[in-house]
Amino acid sequence: MTVPAQKPQILLMDPIKLATPLLDDLSKVYDVLPLTSKSRDEFLDDCKGKYAGAQAMYRHFKGASTKVTGMFDPVLVAGLPKNLRFIAHNGAGYDQIDVDACTSAMIQVSNVPIAVDGATADTALFLLLGALRQFGPAQAALRAGTFNAGLPLSNDPRGKIFGVLGMGGIGRAFAIRARAIGMEVQYHNRTQLSPELEQGAKYVGFEELLTTSDVVSLNLPLNAKTKHIIGTKEFAVMKKSAVVINTARGAVIDEKALVVALESGEIAGCGLDVYEDEPTVSEGLIKSPKAFLLPHVGTLTVETQDEMERVCLRNIDTGLKTGKFSFTVAEQVGHF
């Protein structure tokens, strides 16, 4: 009697909530295992047992599994199933994963870059307008029953210089929106973009971006080089009328230094969707009328989340069928 070939296994660290038709199709081809572990230690034990055959993994950067596993540091990566070859990480940023450790273990890692661009840029534009126009204090006055009495004049975006630190997909999408409301766009990258990607934006040095921009938007990944890229020294050279927007990762800004800069009047305001110690937000930001805040909702739309799940599942399918992801995170390009 012929024994049926065992289906490749996918470890579903977090549930698929929207792309369920695609998951149903894949479940006909692959064995899909849900995460049942309740702690990091139990997870590592289960990687030697019930998850031992898993070849691919799906996880969400804000999923419940993050509280089970903690960071995917070298210790956790070393304890993953020995057959695991693919981690599809649902999120644009992937600072939760030690990519070097995964590369050494021959595990391919992918994130979700392009699908998040529009929703994140829309959120950033909302933060920009809220901070420049001081809509936070205006809302507070309305709810307090004072309507617009005593509110100071705010500023229009038109004619202001919009500086992008990190002109990737989200940065470019935000630049398009900023240009649409009359702002002049300049940017700083490790390397200058092609004219086609620049779309008329001016390439400037890091120092010039900080000293000349009316709005500074952070749109770069978090890593050892970018952590606290904006801190006390950087705030000191910005215009006192400058507004800082962050929809990237909280820790690219020194949050304590940001609070000091707001309180001292070193900068005029900020618009944030991300924080250094999420979900905790510093009291100084919560209390500041100069801080226009959102609780990391940049990509939390039905359409964006559906496509993010689909990107991950399609990449897992490609990886298991061909032995290679259709794309990996930047650090792994050329390694597989």
Side-chain angles (χ1 to χ4, degrees), residues 116-176:
V116 303
D117 292 355
T120 306
D122 290 343
T123 302
L125 179 61
F126 174 77
L127 291 171
L128 183 155
L129 290 171
L132 269 182
R133 292 294 312 275
Q134 299 180 33
F135 287 152
Q139 285 185 329
L142 173 67
R143 296 181 191 281
T146 59
F147 206 61
N148 62 11
L151 289 175
L153 293 176
S154 60
N155 292 282
D156 287 324
R158 182 167 296 279
K160 301 295 189 298
I161 298 176
F162 175 69
V164 183
L165 185 55
M167 196 75 151
I170 295 172
R172 295 196 300 274
F174 193 8
I176 290 171

Side-chain angles (χ1 to χ4, degrees), residues 54-330:
Q55 298 174 38
M57 173 189 292
Y58 165 85
R59 70 184 303 272
H60 195 289
F61 81 101
K62 294 181 74 174
S65 73
T66 60
K67 296 180 180 179
V68 174
T69 64
M71 300 291 282
F72 271 52
D73 55 22
V75 174
L76 188 112
V77 171
L80 292 175
K82 299 306 178 185
N83 291 322
L84 191 75
R85 290 294 172 263
F86 307 101
I87 297 176
H89 170 81
N90 189 340
Y94 46 93
D95 48 287
Q96 297 171 347
I97 300 175
D98 190 314
V99 174
D100 288 341
C102 289
T103 304
S104 296
M106 297 301 293
I107 298 172
Q108 298 173 47
V109 180
S110 68
N111 64 331
V112 185
I114 299 171
V116 303
D117 292 355
T120 306
D122 290 343
T123 302
L125 179 61
F126 174 77
L127 291 171
L128 183 155
L129 290 171
L132 269 182
R133 292 294 312 275
Q134 299 180 33
F135 287 152
Q139 285 185 329
L142 173 67
R143 296 181 191 281
T146 59
F147 206 61
N148 62 11
L151 289 175
L153 293 176
S154 60
N155 292 282
D156 287 324
R158 182 167 296 279
K160 301 295 189 298
I161 298 176
F162 175 69
V164 183
L165 185 55
M167 196 75 151
I170 295 172
R172 295 196 300 274
F174 193 8
I176 290 171
R177 288 155 175 78
R179 196 177 288 112
I181 57 173
M183 303 187 78
E184 299 177 22
V185 180
Q186 61 183 17
Y187 75 99
H188 177 71
N189 255 8
R190 287 173 296 179
T191 56
Q192 185 171 0
L193 300 177
S194 67
E196 292 77 18
L197 291 179
E198 284 185 328
Q199 294 187 322
K202 179 184 177 183
Y203 181 66
V204 297
F206 181 61
E207 184 85 7
E208 183 177 350
L209 184 95
L210 298 180
T211 58
T212 62
S213 295
D214 296 299
V215 175
V216 176
S217 176
L218 282 81
N219 301 101
L220 67 176
L222 174 63
N223 53 46
K225 293 181 179 179
T226 62
K227 183 176 181 179
H228 289 185
I229 193 169
I230 300 295
T232 300
K233 183 176 68 173
E234 290 71 31
F235 288 126
V237 301
M238 292 183 188
K239 296 180 178 180
K240 290 189 180 298
S241 58
V243 164
V244 174
I245 307 297
N246 188 11
T247 56
R249 283 290 184 266
V252 297
I253 294 179
D254 181 338
E255 206 163 274
K256 291 180 180 178
L258 172 60
V259 171
V260 171
L262 292 171
E263 291 176 345
S264 66
E266 210 154 41
I267 62 171
C270 67
L272 308 176
D273 188 42
V274 290
Y275 306 90
E276 192 162 3
D277 191 27
E278 294 184 15
T280 301
V281 181
S282 71
E283 188 176 1
L285 289 175
I286 293 291
K287 290 183 175 180
S288 176
K290 298 179 180 179
F292 193 58
L293 310 176
L294 288 174
H296 205 157
V297 295
T299 61
L300 297 187
T301 71
V302 171
E303 296 82 0
T304 299
Q305 288 295 314
D306 180 45
E307 180 57 19
M308 291 173 76
E309 290 180 353
R310 289 177 179 277
V311 168
C312 291
L313 292 178
R314 288 195 296 261
N315 214 14
I316 285 174
D317 186 36
T318 298
L320 291 175
K321 284 179 177 176
T322 68
K324 289 184 67 174
F325 266 159
S326 55
F327 66 93
T328 64
V329 296

